[in-house]
Amino acid sequence: MKKLILIAMTLLAIAACNDQKPSFTVEGTVKGADEKILYLYNNALGGAVKVDSVKLTEEGTFTLHGEAPQSPELYFLIVGDQMLYFGVDSTETVTINADYATMTSAYEVKGSKSSEKIRQITLRQHDLQRRIMAVERDLGLSRQQIADSLQRMVDSYKTDIAMEFIFENPASIYAYYALFQTMGGWNLYDRSNPQDVRVFAAVATSWDTFYPESDRAKHLHNTAIKGMSDTRRAAAQEMIAAETASQIETVTLLDLNLPDASGRNRTLTELKGKVVMLDFHLFNMKESAARILTLRDLYSKYHDQGLEIYQVGLDENEHFWKQQTEKLPWICVYDPSALSARNYNVQSIPEFFLIDRSNALYKRSSQMNDVEAEIKNLLK
């Protein structure tokens, strides 16, 4: 009888071992966070998924486990208000050591090439953010100089990251992480940008080859296809817009009748006698802040001489639009349907037109090399 029981227990133990799924381990220390809970999350496409957690002691040591992914995956550790990303390829053990106060920017990682690459990318991004802030605070630069400097800085950063990390191994999770970096809520690599679409396509092709059944491969594939379609469509629209722009002088002003934040409908024809800048704008686009600063400069200089700005907000979120326009001194109206933009053949945002004092449409942006000079000429 005892022998039978022993055999049964042995078989159960073997079965249990066979049922265990491959796993990975994250271990290390987070000093200065005793009594706080350290969480391990999978940064899945559908949203963050909690994997494991542990309460940190005074020493800060931890060991966390997760089921090994079928293809490279992105994870993050979070404790209090600090978070850091890392990658897992399969069943490896990733060692991460950090101090709580500087966890997001000054940590070390061992045992995972992907995680070390992600750390390097993260540090590069922190450095870019610091340089951007320094330029924005430089009182010796004009608004246009700031905008130009920031654009060059971001373009250079994207080129370097693509060459050093993405193209080095486009099938890696760190290439994926680099491709979907955000700053200020915006993706650094833009699928509407033809150059960036090539980067998306390179990563998508590699993931299609090595991990064709993974969710990330399908996501990349769809993103790249959409980007190529959008850029081809944009090129065709630019040609149409260029042809239309050359004829716009003969087009009669199309009046708009749109509500402002208080619900009062405002029209273009009510502004007859003023020089009007008709501006189509999205406040959630990455260029919004710089554009608003430029408009403030123009408005401050020329409003007393007869300049008015009639700005059409195209954001979907009305509450967000109201918050952004609350303190703007010019006329802000709302058109989430974007019908007004389509009627004016707007192909990209931001876009603007000038209307003379007789309420006639004067020029659109593509016809003006120096908008300030055009405004001054109309104000004479």
Side-chain angles (χ1 to χ4, degrees), residues 57-71:
T57 63
E58 186 176 353
E59 291 77 19
T61 58
F62 68 89
T63 301
L64 299 167
H65 302 282
E67 183 180 331
Q70 296 299 309
S71 57

Side-chain angles (χ1 to χ4, degrees), residues 217-242:
K218 296 170 184 175
H219 174 233
L220 282 163
H221 180 88
N222 292 336
T223 300
I225 293 297
K226 180 68 165 58
M228 287 186 281
S229 174
D230 288 347
T231 52
R232 284 195 294 267
R233 186 182 301 111
Q237 289 174 337
E238 284 177 6
M239 292 179 63
I240 295 171

Side-chain angles (χ1 to χ4, degrees), residues 233-353:
R233 186 182 301 111
Q237 289 174 337
E238 284 177 6
M239 292 179 63
I240 295 171
E243 294 174 2
T244 305
S246 64
Q247 304 170 6
I248 196 166
E249 295 87 349
T250 65
V251 178
T252 304
L253 176 70
L254 176 65
D255 196 16
L256 299 181
N257 186 6
L258 296 168
D260 62 18
S262 66
R264 174 191 170 191
N265 276 27
R266 306 298 301 270
T267 66
L268 288 171
T269 49
E270 73 184 63
L271 300 174
K272 187 173 182 178
K274 295 180 179 293
V275 171
V276 180
M277 174 181 282
L278 169 59
D279 187 70
F280 293 93
H281 192 80
L282 272 169
F283 284 89
N284 67 352
M285 65 182 177
K286 59 184 178 182
E287 301 93 346
S288 176
R291 173 117 182 101
I292 293 299
L293 287 174
T294 299
L295 293 182
R296 279 188 182 276
D297 284 347
L298 290 172
Y299 191 84
S300 297
K301 286 182 182 179
Y302 302 109
H303 176 64
D304 289 343
Q305 299 175 45
L307 174 69
E308 187 54 80
I309 297 175
Y310 185 99
Q311 187 170 58
V312 182
L314 305 175
D315 297 86
E316 293 182 3
N317 188 321
E318 184 175 5
H319 178 69
F320 171 74
W321 170 77
K322 286 183 177 179
Q323 286 183 319
Q324 297 300 307
T325 59
E326 184 178 8
K327 296 183 179 179
L328 296 182
W330 51 79
I331 297 171
C332 297
V333 295
Y334 187 54
D335 182 18
S337 71
L339 179 60
S340 59
R342 289 195 293 274
N343 287 341
Y344 269 85
N345 194 30
V346 172
Q347 304 295 327
S348 61
I349 300 296
E351 175 63 290
F352 67 91
F353 302 78

Side-chain angles (χ1 to χ4, degrees), residues 13 29 37 41 49 59 65 82 90 94 125 145 180 189 199 224 272 313 329 372:
T29 58
I37 305 297
Y41 278 88
V49 178
E59 291 77 19
H65 302 282
Q82 300 282 50
S90 183
V94 183
Q125 187 174 5
Q145 287 174 324
F180 286 96
Y189 291 94
V199 185
K272 187 173 182 178
E372 187 169 358

Side-chain angles (χ1 to χ4, degrees), residues 69 71-75 84-96 107-123 164-166 168-178 207 211:
S71 57
E73 262 299 337
L74 193 61
Y75 294 84
L84 64 83
Y85 286 91
F86 65 97
V88 172
D89 294 323
S90 183
T91 58
E92 68 263 42
T93 295
V94 183
T95 302
I96 295 173
Y107 64 95
E108 64 175 22
V109 60
K110 299 177 182 177
S112 169
K113 177 183 177 181
S114 292
S115 297
E116 170 58 21
K117 293 286 188 178
I118 289 173
R119 186 189 72 85
Q120 293 174 19
I121 295 167
T122 300
L123 295 182
E164 295 180 38
F165 296 94
I166 297 177
E168 179 205 46
N169 185 2
S172 65
I173 192 62
Y174 59 84
Y176 185 99
Y177 173 80
W207 279 70
Y211 314 108

Side-chain angles (χ1 to χ4, degrees), residues 152-173:
R152 288 194 299 270
M153 198 178 295
V154 170
D155 288 345
S156 176
Y157 173 84
K158 286 164 56 178
T159 299
D160 291 345
I161 292 295
M163 296 304 297
E164 295 180 38
F165 296 94
I166 297 177
F167 292 138
E168 179 205 46
N169 185 2
S172 65
I173 192 62

